[in-house]
Amino acid sequence: MTTLPADRPSSEAEVRAALLALDSSTKHPFTVVLEDGAVVAGWRGETGIERFTYRYVVRLLPETAEYTRLTKTTTRTSSSSSGSYTFNSLWISKPVNEVLRAHGWRPRRTAVGKFLRRLVGLAD
């Protein structure tokens, strides 16, 4: 993966293609799809008792080369069978964020985040 200068981020189409390429990568245990204009990286786990779904939703903002992100988790309990699974949300968010960073995109800061950065004296 090539890192581009911050003043020349990749186009929205290039970033979207790079994110979707994570879906076919064998080293990442999740799927990546386009859904309502957003890129959604997700993982599902299931035991006899629970079904677990984790979704990391990234919406690209091409006019500023920023993105918003949202995580959604659901757990459903069913019968009394046994089983187990292990999941860490960094398995999804880390590779997705690395692709975005490598293409020169940055997360959109919220008003609260901007206020806290000013409060502690960090540049915005």
Side-chain angles (χ1 to χ4, degrees), residues 1 16 21 79 82:
M1 194 175 334
R16 185 173 284 138
S79 67
S82 63

Side-chain angles (χ1 to χ4, degrees), residues 7-60:
D7 62 339
R8 209 182 91 226
S10 299
S11 71
E12 178 182 16
E14 291 170 317
V15 173
R16 185 173 284 138
L19 290 170
L20 290 171
L22 290 173
D23 184 59
S24 59
S25 170
T26 56
K27 69 180 191 176
H28 299 297
F30 56 87
T31 60
V32 183
V33 296
L34 282 178
E35 194 173 284
D36 296 327
V39 177
V40 179
W43 183 82
R44 292 177 192 216
E46 188 171 337
T47 66
I49 299 173
E50 289 183 327
R51 281 186 285 184
F52 174 83
T53 304
Y54 176 84
R55 295 166 40 94
Y56 189 62
V57 181
V58 174
R59 191 162 303 277
L60 301 174

Side-chain angles (χ1 to χ4, degrees), residues 15-115:
V15 173
R16 185 173 284 138
L19 290 170
L20 290 171
L22 290 173
D23 184 59
S24 59
S25 170
T26 56
K27 69 180 191 176
H28 299 297
F30 56 87
T31 60
V32 183
V33 296
L34 282 178
E35 194 173 284
D36 296 327
V39 177
V40 179
W43 183 82
R44 292 177 192 216
E46 188 171 337
T47 66
I49 299 173
E50 289 183 327
R51 281 186 285 184
F52 174 83
T53 304
Y54 176 84
R55 295 166 40 94
Y56 189 62
V57 181
V58 174
R59 191 162 303 277
L60 301 174
L61 307 169
E63 55 280 345
T64 60
E66 294 177 316
Y67 61 93
T68 61
R69 60 203 180 265
L70 175 68
T71 58
K72 298 177 182 180
T73 306
T74 58
T75 305
R76 291 197 177 119
T77 305
S78 58
S79 67
S80 60
S81 301
S82 63
S84 67
Y85 60 86
T86 302
F87 174 74
N88 183 336
S89 62
L90 286 175
W91 294 343
I92 295 176
S93 61
K94 185 177 179 189
V96 169
N97 291 340
E98 286 173 350
V99 166
L100 291 161
R101 190 176 317 111
H103 282 270
W105 287 58
R106 61 190 195 297
R108 173 166 268 181
R109 289 197 168 80
T110 63
V112 172
K114 289 176 184 177
F115 171 75

